[in-house]
Amino acid sequence: MGTPINFETVLRTEGKEKRIDSKENIFQLQLQGYHLFPLHQPIEITRTKETDEIGTAIIVELTLKEKQTFCTYQLISLSSVN
């Protein structure tokens, strides 16, 4: 039996991100299921599938365990404060 995995090119936060370093704008996001993102490359961030881009981030670390993905990213630009 295979393991379902999603290959992502946009980071959708659903407002569940947690800031872990305010000086460096580092955030962590926990996602259900397994998701792969490009590492160390700028990618678009949105809150939901229906909303516009809110900024750009670089994924610095991905951990896949227990049917969850833990994504650590650095926010490098912000399009909107809301």
Side-chain angles (χ1 to χ4, degrees):
M1 181 175 195
T3 300
I5 192 160
N6 296 311
F7 293 91
E8 309 284 356
T9 58
V10 174
L11 181 60
R12 290 187 187 91
T13 66
E14 304 289 335
K16 298 178 182 176
E17 68 277 7
K18 293 181 183 174
R19 184 184 296 264
I20 57 174
D21 183 343
S22 60
K23 185 177 179 183
E24 297 292 324
N25 284 327
I26 305 292
F27 295 83
Q28 188 170 59
L29 181 63
Q30 181 178 341
L31 302 166
Q32 295 301 312
Y34 296 124
H35 302 266
L36 286 182
F37 294 90
L39 292 172
H40 309 293
Q41 299 292 319
I43 65 167
E44 178 181 319
I45 300 176
T46 64
R47 291 248 187 239
T48 66
K49 193 173 188 176
E50 294 81 28
T51 59
D52 292 332
E53 176 181 344
I54 60 168
T56 305
I58 293 178
I59 308 293
V60 295
E61 182 179 17
L62 279 178
T63 303
L64 303 154
K65 67 178 184 180
E66 300 173 4
K67 298 183 181 178
Q68 295 182 59
T69 301
F70 298 88
C71 176
T72 304
Y73 64 93
Q74 180 177 23
L75 183 64
I76 59 172
S77 72
L78 187 61
S79 303
S80 170
V81 294
N82 291 328

